[in-house]
Amino acid sequence: PFAGLDPAQIAEMRALIRRLAGTHTVVLSSHLLAEIRQTCDRLLVMGSGRILADGTEEELQHRLSTEVVIEVIARGDLTSMQSLLAGLEGVRSVAVQGEESGAHRLRVGCEVDVREAIARSLVEAGLGLLGLHRSEHELEGLFLELTRDGSPRGV
């Protein structure tokens, strides 16, 4: 329902869907995964005409043991930043993605969403937190994993 809409219309459409969802079931079918993430609270992943998975994004990731990916942009000592992030509970990996305007961009792979712990740790360590968000490509990886061979994954 978002194709061809300008940004203001997209915001209005999201608001309408959320209002309706309070008292109705709204079924939204789309391959625009970033839009699904921003609009839907429950996912049904279909493949070959069958429901392959059903649940929230977090539930599906947990059941499939897929990684939550958090992108961090911060200023400060890179070695300290990497060490601090790697030591947080639930963090599986920390990879440097690059540097721009004196800020480091890192990709943090986690078992669960640990954005709050990341923010608290970086701020308490005196590092300049400039950006922190879940990767937009997470849902894409989840979809690809679920639809790889078209078989239900028991989720």
Side-chain angles (χ1 to χ4, degrees):
F2 303 100
L5 300 179
D6 67 40
Q9 293 169 323
I10 290 171
E12 289 176 28
M13 181 63 77
R14 281 187 199 134
L16 172 63
I17 291 170
R18 285 189 194 105
R19 278 195 313 275
L20 289 171
T23 56
H24 298 78
T25 297
V26 178
V27 177
L28 176 64
S29 176
S30 177
H31 287 98
L32 302 175
L33 301 181
E35 198 57 55
I36 293 296
R37 164 178 272 137
Q38 294 180 30
T39 308
C40 301
D41 58 7
R42 181 172 163 218
L43 307 172
L44 292 174
V45 179
M46 297 189 68
S48 301
R50 299 184 331 205
I51 295 175
L52 302 177
D54 173 6
T56 66
E57 184 178 353
E58 288 278 329
E59 289 169 343
L60 297 182
Q61 285 174 327
H62 181 71
R63 290 181 203 154
L64 290 171
S65 297
T66 59
E67 190 170 65
V68 174
V69 177
I70 299 172
E71 296 178 358
V72 178
I73 303 170
R75 293 185 198 277
D77 179 64
L78 180 59
T79 304
S80 298
M81 206 176 302
Q82 288 175 291
S83 176
L84 182 70
L85 294 174
L88 293 176
E89 185 175 340
V91 171
R92 292 180 181 165
S93 63
V94 178
V96 178
Q97 299 296 105
E99 183 182 342
E100 50 191 71
S101 304
H104 304 287
R105 181 180 299 274
L106 299 108
R107 179 188 181 279
V108 181
C110 312
E111 296 169 12
V112 294
D113 187 346
V114 294
R115 285 179 290 179
E116 186 176 346
I118 289 172
R120 184 176 35 255
S121 297
L122 291 174
V123 170
E124 286 176 357
L127 298 165
L129 179 60
L130 302 175
L132 179 67
H133 66 277
R134 286 181 67 163
S135 172
E136 293 298 318
H137 303 294
E138 250 184 280
L139 190 53
E140 181 179 294
L142 182 61
F143 177 82
L144 292 172
E145 174 68 22
L146 286 166
T147 59
R148 182 178 41 208
D149 64 7
S151 302
R153 301 278 191 246
V155 290

